[in-house]
Amino acid sequence: MGLISKIFGKDLLIGLNRTGRYGVSKPITMQYPKEKWTPYPAFRGTIRHLTKETEEGETRVRCNACGLCARACPAECIHIVGEGKGKDRVPKTFVIDFSRCLYCGLCVEACPQDALEMTSFYESAVYTREEMVFDLDKMLEDYSKWERTFKK
Amino acid sequence: MDEIRGLVVTEEGLVEQDLMRDTLTKEMWVNMGPQHPSTHGVLRVVLALEGERIVDTEIYIGYLHRGFEKFAESKTYPQFLPITDRLDYISAHAMNYGYVLAVEKLMGIEVPLRAKYIRTLMAELTRISSHLLWLATHALDIGAMTVFLYCFREREMILDLFEMVCGARLTTSYFRIGGVANDLPDGFIEKCREFCNIFPQKAKDYDDLILKNRIWLARTINVANISGEEGLNLGLSGPSIRGSGVKWDIRVSEPYGVYDKVEWEMAVEDGCDVYARYLVRLKEMRESCKICQQCLDFLEKDDSGEFRAKVPKVIKPPEGEAYACVEAPKGELGFYIVSDGSTKPYRLKIRAPSFANLMSLPKMVEGALVADVIAAIGSIDVVLGEVDR
Amino acid sequence: MLLEIGIALLKIIVVFALALLTVAYLTYIERKVIGHMQVRMGPMRVGPHGLLQPIADGLKLFMKEDIVPYEAYRFTFYFAPILTLVTALILFAVIPFDKHFAITRLNIGVMYILSIASVGVLGILLAGWASGSKYPILGGLRSAAQMLSYEIFLGFSIIGALMISGSLDLVKIVESQHVWNIVYQPVAFVIYIIAALGEINRVPFDLPEAETELVAGFHTEYSGMKFAYFFLAEYANMIIVCSMATILFLGGWRGPVLPGFVWFLIKLFALIYFFIWVRATFPRYRYDQFMKIGWKIMLPIVLANIVVTGVVMMMVQGG
Ligand code: SF4
Ligand code: SF4
């Protein structure tokens, strides 16, 4: 750096120029509750159960309580009790404790029936720990109804 | 302090005594951290100060200890993978990479080329994002707060890319033993290309603010010096040692992934000081960008769709041991696994770069000022999740 | 007599109310300007575009628990913030915002400001000592050295302007500036701005409260309203040094068309904007480097400036 440019603070002026320019440009941030980020389809949010149509036309859960997801889970937060035999086997209880879940997706990957799905639901904050424990009925609901909406 | 004798009024009348008796100066012990704005998490450094000059430094760690090495012994091999995300939580891909490499070495799995390219791409994107976070916080520590926001702007773009590929922004768990979890989604390559193209321009913003700024130079040049030899003795690795003129990069010396197939340059500086480490990381970000471009070139043309090798359903490595290391953004990250033939590791040891790097801090700040400690901690880029494990 | 007292009281109320309001909104302006420089928005939540933010902040600080550390010297601990704020506010008494609009016109206005401002340093020093904690002591020590030495450069840098104006009366100084003093004294103006940054602890010289080094420096242990006092005092001081720069170098309220105080405010806020701009851009100097700049670079320049000014004035006047 030459002496002249040092005396006149060229290095400092470059910096001032940069911030000055951004000072009059448009901000890039998102005002969260009013504007919302839509996650990509691959997003790993709260897990949900899927259903299927049987040949008789009734809807039932895809899960057949094989327990592979519970075995794959590193956090040991899936608890399953199954009932019935063979094709009729369904989970009696299926509980995921989301306060322990890592949202790693290993359970979804392990499931041979494709019974689990990771939704793009991310506003899952609740007031008590009990509410974080989801049972089968809760995991069959449509999560989007819990999404917080704010008026503009 | 020398004695100065004089008369002093006491209860027994006038007495001659040492006037400096009560004014002996002692060094002051200051706890920097675990709650301090610039110790990057829960690092505790105890400084002995004489005025503002440091006479002694002691580092206390362990506030974030979660026992991962022991934890690994009770988890199966695939189950431990998401846990490695939490080591250096700002460069999760690199942590995954080290772990899967070690397991693959143990089992002798050959990974498809496409998976290798995807892995390398992800590892380099992680490097950029990690260095961006480092630059942001390092500059903030030294007082340049605007750099922080500019860096985060670009980091956000990388995290968006991660989210697009694997659904998580921070704890990605994208790698799998034998490949990666899923193929790249549609539109990813274009988006990634866009980022790689605009990143060098955006990076000019940080240069404008600090690269030549006289205050930045004054704060970083000749501060926290450590010579290459001392650094090697203390186990320094990664950009921190390359700032001391040592040509040591796992990507070159023990190439993994496709680092031997792409063209790039190792960033080395001779300054040995904070500024040199800063330059090294700046250059690395741009080199990483180049590597990403080349990976994208390959992935665009390649249509094999093989992103995962055939691996047994239950991962049960043969008895034996393996060590694999990768060049994580912070330095050499190594996983040493001993297997007894069961589905769980018998013993797993993690060589965490931040931990080894942190131990050179006392050497760096010998006789420096308080403000230099901040610059030094920033320049070796520690992440406490990795130090404590 | 009564009328005079009434007018004086009215002036005091108007000036102080305005001063406090400006100080409060200065925090808002600062956050907003810095926010936009950092491609974000700054406060947006409280009121339209966050306009009520300073009031919300004030309320929050007002309702916070008032913590006094066990080791603190109670009296001094309470006294320090009051001293700092009071000295900062009574400086407004002599600032002429317009030709006839100042609370009082003092014929030694410049002296008054310099001397009261140095009392303000005591507040920070006492706060550092009285907290009975280590970081505040370091902050207090730093500020003692920093503010005492930078007061010298501040004082010296305005001497040139005073010599040209030939008075210590702030009103007279402005009236004597047919051409702004900055034209005759560019070097002194630059030095004044640098010294002022040091004097009021702002980036790049915010060492006493450098948050990444000393947590919060001298006010680490302060909370609630006592903290708010320091905060207000800091911004009040910023207005004062900018007003002084306006008066001494930029021709005060002088300017065409618009009324005097509007010109004054325009110049004042231009300077304040510059201060904020600097804060958004630069890193922070290290303590020893900062002292070196002061004593080894600025002092010689400022002394040379005085000598040159004197010689030139003698030549011009002595003819
Ligand atoms: S996402 Fe991971 S942690 Fe959560 S339930 Fe599934 S396997 Fe367990
Ligand atoms: S792996 Fe799938 S089918 Fe088996 S228990 Fe889990 S959810 Fe049900």
Side-chain angles (χ1 to χ4, degrees):
Chain A
M1 198 169 16
L3 189 66
I4 304 286
S5 62
K6 184 152 190 187
I7 288 173
F8 284 99
K10 191 177 161 213
D11 50 330
L12 304 178
L13 292 179
I14 293 173
L16 286 174
N17 177 28
R18 180 54 54 208
T19 40
R21 265 162 203 254
Y22 275 118
V24 291
S25 74
K26 228 170 125 24
I28 52 148
T29 46
M30 197 178 247
Q31 296 293 304
Y32 164 57
K34 286 183 194 158
E35 307 164 52
K36 267 193 186 171
W37 170 250
T38 337
Y40 289 99
F43 188 75
R44 301 209 304 257
T46 310
I47 298 162
R48 136 169 216 260
H49 262 279
L50 293 178
T51 52
K52 65 175 175 192
E53 299 269 320
T54 53
E55 285 142 31
E56 294 90 58
E58 57 172 324
T59 22
R60 48 176 281 194
V61 288
R62 277 159 169 261
C63 173
N64 61 4
C66 69
L68 282 181
C69 53
R71 236 178 302 148
C73 176
E76 288 162 26
C77 61
I78 307 181
H79 305 280
I80 309 167
V81 180
E83 67 183 355
K85 279 263 164 351
K87 271 186 103 182
D88 292 328
R89 191 170 158 86
V90 284
K92 195 162 121 204
T93 55
F94 190 107
V95 176
I96 298 187
D97 181 355
F98 281 108
S99 60
R100 294 191 60 163
C101 176
L102 308 172
Y103 297 93
C104 62
L106 287 186
C107 50
V108 179
E109 220 169 274
C111 179
Q113 310 287 328
D114 287 337
L116 298 176
E117 179 200 45
M118 297 200 100
T119 60
S120 55
F121 176 66
Y122 58 90
E123 290 165 314
S124 50
V126 285
Y127 288 100
T128 61
R129 285 187 194 175
E130 286 73 44
E131 282 174 72
M132 296 289 283
V133 182
F134 281 39
D135 57 13
L136 189 56
D137 294 337
K138 206 165 172 187
M139 271 186 286
L140 283 167
E141 279 174 50
D142 182 10
Y143 292 156
S144 62
K145 70 179 176 205
W146 292 320
E147 259 169 35
R148 279 110 172 126
T149 43
F150 289 83
K151 54 180 184 296
K152 298 245 168 179
Chain B
M1 198 161 292
D2 294 339
E3 231 178 53
I4 302 173
R5 301 199 74 79
L7 292 174
V8 177
V9 187
T10 63
E11 282 162 11
E12 295 126 41
L14 279 181
V15 176
E16 196 191 336
Q17 66 177 45
D18 179 14
L19 291 180
M20 305 302 285
R21 197 180 60 177
D22 299 329
T23 55
L24 279 180
T25 50
K26 279 191 296 192
E27 58 212 34
M28 177 161 79
W29 289 85
V30 175
N31 265 313
M32 196 175 252
Q35 288 102 2
H36 186 281
S38 62
T39 50
H40 296 217
V42 284
L43 172 65
R44 176 169 165 223
V45 184
V46 178
L47 302 170
L49 296 181
E50 222 163 57
E52 289 227 0
R53 213 156 269 287
I54 290 153
V55 288
D56 198 6
T57 324
E58 229 169 289
I59 301 171
Y60 290 82
I61 56 171
Y63 289 86
L64 205 60
H65 181 65
R66 291 152 296 172
F68 279 174
E69 290 179 9
K70 189 74 193 158
F71 195 49
E73 292 165 22
S74 61
K75 293 281 156 218
T76 61
Y77 286 94
Q79 273 181 349
F80 189 63
L81 187 106
I83 313 293
T84 57
D85 287 350
R86 277 90 182 153
L87 280 170
D88 173 357
Y89 36 78
I90 50 179
S91 44
H93 282 306
M95 300 293 120
N96 291 171
Y97 207 161
Y99 177 67
V100 292
L101 269 187
V103 179
E104 280 156 13
K105 201 165 165 189
L106 202 55
M107 300 180 65
I109 297 173
E110 187 49 42
V111 179
L113 192 61
R114 185 178 173 81
K116 277 190 183 169
Y117 268 98
I118 296 177
R119 282 179 176 188
T120 310
L121 174 65
M122 287 299 151
E124 289 310 309
L125 284 176
T126 306
R127 191 179 315 277
I128 300 178
S129 101
S130 167
H131 282 353
L132 280 175
L133 190 93
W134 157 80
L135 180 60
T137 50
H138 184 42
L140 187 68
D141 287 349
I142 295 187
M145 60 168 161
T146 302
V147 182
F148 182 84
L149 274 297
Y150 292 168
C151 287
F152 263 62
R153 182 184 56 189
E154 272 74 72
R155 184 167 174 266
E156 207 58 20
M157 297 168 80
I158 300 182
L159 295 189
D160 282 355
L161 290 175
F162 288 171
E163 187 187 322
M164 200 168 169
V165 178
C166 59
R169 301 167 75 83
L170 216 55
T171 50
T172 46
S173 314
Y174 177 54
F175 292 13
R176 293 285 183 274
I177 295 161
V180 290
N182 49 278
D183 206 354
L184 298 175
D186 296 339
F188 173 82
I189 289 179
E190 292 77 58
K191 243 189 131 195
C192 190
R193 177 87 67 191
E194 188 193 321
F195 169 78
C196 291
N197 288 338
I198 64 167
F199 177 71
Q201 296 162 23
K202 296 262 184 185
K204 239 189 120 297
D205 285 357
Y206 334 135
D207 293 353
D208 279 355
L209 284 176
I210 51 179
L211 182 67
K212 292 232 172 64
N213 187 298
R214 62 183 70 182
I215 307 176
W216 182 264
L217 298 183
R219 281 302 300 278
T220 54
I221 288 186
N222 244 334
V223 167
N225 284 338
I226 189 155
S227 71
E229 200 190 332
E230 281 168 341
L232 284 178
N233 288 343
L234 286 162
L236 208 60
S237 61
S240 310
I241 192 89
R242 288 198 284 281
S244 301
V246 179
K247 288 200 173 111
W248 173 247
D249 192 321
I250 310 283
R251 289 175 291 173
V252 174
S253 54
E254 272 180 58
Y256 54 95
V258 292
Y259 286 111
D260 42 0
K261 294 194 185 67
V262 290
E263 258 170 53
W264 58 285
E265 238 175 85
M266 195 202 299
V268 184
E269 293 283 333
D270 300 320
C272 303
D273 52 12
V274 175
Y275 191 64
R277 281 164 237 152
Y278 159 76
L279 289 181
V280 166
R281 291 200 175 91
L282 274 195
K283 179 143 184 250
E284 262 187 29
M285 285 200 262
R286 295 190 164 101
E287 290 299 320
S288 294
C289 211
K290 268 196 234 160
I291 300 180
C292 289
Q293 292 275 25
Q294 295 171 41
C295 290
L296 287 174
D297 288 342
F298 174 86
L299 290 169
E300 220 165 29
K301 279 188 251 119
D302 175 68
D303 49 6
S304 65
E306 274 177 25
F307 58 87
R308 208 162 164 180
K310 282 261 171 288
V311 287
K313 258 230 147 88
V314 180
I315 298 208
K316 226 173 175 183
E319 233 169 281
E321 53 187 53
Y323 176 81
C325 54
V326 293
E327 179 75 17
K330 312 285 186 298
E332 176 184 345
L333 169 82
F335 279 86
Y336 177 64
I337 304 178
V338 181
S339 155
D340 56 359
S342 70
T343 56
K344 294 168 186 172
Y346 176 73
R347 172 80 171 93
L348 186 138
K349 160 87 182 112
I350 304 163
R351 192 257 183 223
S354 295
F355 176 75
N357 289 358
L358 187 59
M359 295 309 136
S360 57
L361 180 66
K363 183 87 207 159
M364 285 181 184
V365 297
E366 252 172 19
L369 297 167
V370 175
D372 294 339
V373 180
I374 309 297
I377 295 180
S379 79
I380 51 176
D381 191 13
V382 289
V383 166
L384 267 291
E386 198 181 47
V387 174
D388 294 338
R389 302 198 282 286
Chain C
M1 183 64 197
L2 263 179
L3 189 72
E4 273 173 34
I5 293 177
I7 290 176
L9 272 178
L10 198 72
K11 274 183 179 172
I12 291 175
I13 291 168
V14 170
V15 169
F16 277 108
L18 276 178
L20 278 174
L21 200 73
T22 332
V23 167
Y25 269 88
L26 205 54
T27 60
Y28 171 78
I29 294 171
E30 169 151 37
R31 290 170 67 178
K32 212 64 184 170
V33 169
I34 290 189
H36 277 271
M37 284 181 176
Q38 297 173 339
V39 290
R40 59 193 174 92
M41 283 182 157
M44 282 297 283
R45 287 284 178 275
V46 194
H49 282 263
L51 265 173
L52 299 177
Q53 188 70 42
I55 296 167
D57 283 347
L59 272 179
K60 185 198 88 176
L61 285 170
F62 194 69
M63 291 190 293
K64 280 250 161 155
E65 188 189 352
D66 203 24
I67 301 164
V68 182
Y70 181 70
E71 294 259 333
Y73 304 100
R74 281 193 94 84
F75 175 73
T76 330
F77 191 72
Y78 277 100
F79 180 63
I82 298 173
L83 180 70
T84 316
L85 183 63
V86 168
T87 47
L89 284 183
I90 57 176
L91 287 174
F92 280 100
V94 292
I95 301 285
F97 294 97
D98 199 347
K99 192 166 180 187
H100 302 292
F101 193 76
I103 295 178
T104 179
R105 184 175 163 176
L106 216 57
N107 57 0
I108 50 161
V110 177
M111 278 301 282
Y112 172 84
I113 287 193
L114 285 181
S115 45
I116 298 283
S118 18
V119 178
V121 183
L122 282 180
I124 291 182
L125 246 177
L126 289 178
W129 277 106
S131 299
S133 167
K134 285 168 184 172
Y135 285 115
I137 287 187
L138 283 176
L141 285 175
R142 279 184 176 191
S143 63
Q146 166 175 346
M147 293 170 103
L148 290 180
S149 45
Y150 271 64
E151 213 133 81
I152 297 174
F153 318 133
L154 197 74
F156 275 146
S157 65
I158 60 178
I159 284 182
L162 296 182
M163 281 157 78
I164 294 172
S165 301
S167 170
L168 287 178
D169 182 351
L170 291 169
V171 179
K172 270 210 191 115
I173 290 173
V174 175
E175 280 177 344
S176 72
Q177 291 180 54
H178 299 289
V179 181
W180 293 0
N181 270 343
I182 189 174
V183 178
Y184 301 125
Q185 294 279 332
V187 180
F189 179 70
V190 174
I191 299 270
Y192 176 87
I193 293 292
I194 296 174
L197 284 171
E199 175 75 14
I200 57 173
N201 301 331
R202 282 189 65 86
V203 170
F205 307 128
D206 61 340
L207 307 163
E209 46 196 291
E211 82 229 17
T212 48
E213 293 158 28
L214 300 183
V215 187
F218 62 88
H219 56 60
T220 306
E221 302 291 347
Y222 280 89
S223 58
M225 255 346 243
K226 295 205 289 298
F227 169 73
Y229 280 9
F230 280 122
F231 205 63
L232 288 177
E234 196 184 313
Y235 283 89
N237 276 330
M238 189 163 133
I239 298 183
I240 293 290
V241 291
C242 289
S243 315
M244 284 292 282
T246 313
I247 290 165
L248 290 166
F249 294 102
L250 300 179
W253 60 81
R254 295 176 82 109
V257 190
L258 295 170
F261 72 94
V262 176
W263 271 111
F264 189 90
L265 287 183
I266 290 175
K267 292 169 189 174
L268 177 66
F269 276 99
L271 279 174
I272 289 177
Y273 185 85
F274 179 73
F275 276 33
I276 296 173
W277 191 2
V278 164
R279 175 161 178 215
T281 311
F282 295 139
R284 173 186 307 119
Y285 267 115
R286 205 172 62 201
Y287 175 63
D288 59 327
Q289 292 162 346
F290 170 67
M291 295 310 260
K292 254 182 227 156
I293 295 171
W295 293 102
K296 288 192 182 161
I297 302 176
M298 277 166 61
L299 192 64
I301 293 180
V302 108
L303 288 177
N305 183 54
I306 295 173
V307 173
V308 171
T309 313
V311 170
V312 171
M313 273 177 73
M314 274 215 350
M315 290 198 307
V316 172
Q317 284 164 1

